[in-house]
Amino acid sequence: MRKFKVAMVQHKVPTSNVGENTELAIRYITEAKADGADFVLFPECFLSAYQFPKICETLQSVEEIETNDEFAKWCEDALDDGCTYLEKIRRVAKELSIGVEITCFTKGKKYPQNTAFIIDRDGSIILKYSKVHTCDFDLERYLESGKEFKVCHFDGICIGVMICYDREYPESARELMMQGAELILVPNDCDCVRPFRLRELSVEAMQNMVGIAMANPPGENSGCSCAFHPMVWGHQENSIIVADEEFEGLVYAVFDMESIRKYRDTEDLGKFRKVNAYKHLLS
């Protein structure tokens, strides 16, 4: 595949009504297909909304609040892999023959996880990734962290996932690069995007010779759903697109996979690592 068109959904769901959010997701998927997209990328926790019970704002230990009725219900309401909402998204992906990365809180061993599913054109789930770098300094202390970074293959493209705060750790993108990722998708939900988080993604694309696409909800100093290619030599910049902060809707990026692959074959970034010097990375 030479050209790969990704539709990034820049939308903030107003409530945690999973049924309404699922129908909204289906409308965006349908619109993206009509516009010729190969793949649709949603922001972080789109189906369930990025919302926590009020008691979590106290930032007490999970042991202190786990018997709270509201917290217990929030844990119980986390979605599972076979839920009807995810099944609806899978069915639409199959009917339209389009790839989808959909996001939500899912059931962990005891507490929820922040999860992204990649769905193939035939409706099958080809990757489930739960956020490794949860924001333990804040509300995400009540989530279970994922244990590994993963890749999958969609339309012959090796795809990896980082969720929001994963971006802040260069090891995340490098781990995906080492698994062969050619494109990294980033479901996101945060502000203070411009300029430094945009620069962060630009540099991660460069350093790891990967394409990167991020979907982020709109808002003041937020939004800015974006895409970057890795080909920096001979270019003034490597951005494909950066959306406006307040824009609501679909943002499109086309990745020239043939050019990216030629670049990866001929350039050196990441190929001559001296791993014996990295003695503190696993401590």
Side-chain angles (χ1 to χ4, degrees), residues 45 50-68 70-76 78 105-115 131-146:
C45 290
Y50 190 78
Q51 296 179 6
F52 291 77
K54 191 73 173 177
I55 194 170
C56 293
E57 296 176 7
T58 65
L59 299 183
Q60 300 176 71
S61 69
V62 67
E63 291 79 14
E64 292 177 285
I65 70 169
E66 62 182 356
T67 58
N68 174 271
E70 185 186 15
F71 182 79
K73 184 179 186 305
W74 177 71
C75 293
E76 180 60 29
F105 287 135
T106 60
K107 285 183 169 60
K109 292 182 178 179
K110 190 173 182 181
Y111 308 113
Q113 292 187 303
N114 186 336
T115 298
K131 188 175 185 177
V132 168
H133 295 110
T134 49
C135 300
D136 296 344
F137 55 86
D138 201 4
L139 299 175
E140 286 194 348
R141 66 181 61 194
Y142 303 112
L143 298 176
E144 292 178 11
S145 298

Side-chain angles (χ1 to χ4, degrees), residues 172-190:
S172 305
R174 181 49 55 94
E175 172 65 18
L176 291 170
M177 172 198 169
M178 295 306 298
Q179 293 184 54
E182 300 172 289
L183 177 62
I184 296 176
L185 304 176
V186 187
N188 205 80
D189 190 344
C190 72

Side-chain angles (χ1 to χ4, degrees), residues 23-241:
E23 293 306 314
L24 178 61
I26 290 171
R27 291 199 294 272
Y28 272 124
I29 294 168
T30 304
E31 181 183 345
K33 178 64 178 182
D35 288 339
D38 298 294
F39 197 95
V40 188
L41 170 62
F42 284 87
E44 187 176 15
C45 290
F46 191 86
L47 292 185
S48 52
Y50 190 78
Q51 296 179 6
F52 291 77
K54 191 73 173 177
I55 194 170
C56 293
E57 296 176 7
T58 65
L59 299 183
Q60 300 176 71
S61 69
V62 67
E63 291 79 14
E64 292 177 285
I65 70 169
E66 62 182 356
T67 58
N68 174 271
D69 289 344
E70 185 186 15
F71 182 79
K73 184 179 186 305
W74 177 71
C75 293
E76 180 60 29
D77 287 346
L79 304 183
D80 58 59
D81 298 6
C83 70
T84 57
Y85 308 107
L86 189 58
E87 178 59 32
K88 284 186 177 182
I89 302 295
R90 294 176 61 187
R91 191 181 308 126
V92 169
K94 181 177 181 178
E95 290 172 356
L96 298 179
S97 185
I98 191 171
V100 177
E101 182 171 43
I102 194 67
T103 54
C104 55
F105 287 135
T106 60
K107 285 183 169 60
K109 292 182 178 179
K110 190 173 182 181
Y111 308 113
Q113 292 187 303
N114 186 336
T115 298
F117 294 93
I118 292 186
I119 301 170
D120 209 342
R121 291 185 189 269
D122 63 1
S124 62
I125 296 173
I126 56 175
L127 185 144
K128 177 185 178 182
Y129 167 72
S130 293
K131 188 175 185 177
V132 168
H133 295 110
T134 49
C135 300
D136 296 344
F137 55 86
D138 201 4
L139 299 175
E140 286 194 348
R141 66 181 61 194
Y142 303 112
L143 298 176
E144 292 178 11
S145 298
K147 301 301 181 185
E148 61 180 332
F149 290 97
K150 305 175 183 179
V151 299
C152 65
H153 288 81
F154 177 87
D155 281 1
I157 301 169
C158 188
I159 293 177
V161 181
M162 302 188 297
I163 298 179
C164 202
Y165 191 52
D166 285 328
R167 284 176 293 93
E168 317 285 14
Y169 294 85
E171 297 87 354
S172 305
R174 181 49 55 94
E175 172 65 18
L176 291 170
M177 172 198 169
M178 295 306 298
Q179 293 184 54
E182 300 172 289
L183 177 62
I184 296 176
L185 304 176
V186 187
N188 205 80
D189 190 344
C190 72
D191 56 12
C192 299
V193 176
R194 195 187 297 273
F196 297 109
R197 285 181 169 132
L198 291 177
R199 292 175 184 171
E200 179 179 59
L201 291 172
S202 170
V203 170
E204 287 181 340
M206 169 190 168
Q207 289 180 332
N208 297 290
M209 296 196 299
V210 296
I212 290 183
M214 181 191 77
N216 194 50
E220 185 178 354
N221 200 19
S222 192
C224 298
S225 295
C226 58
F228 298 90
H229 64 75
M231 298 170 288
V232 294
W233 312 128
H235 293 75
Q236 291 294 319
E237 57 178 285
N238 66 329
S239 65
I240 297 173
I241 191 167

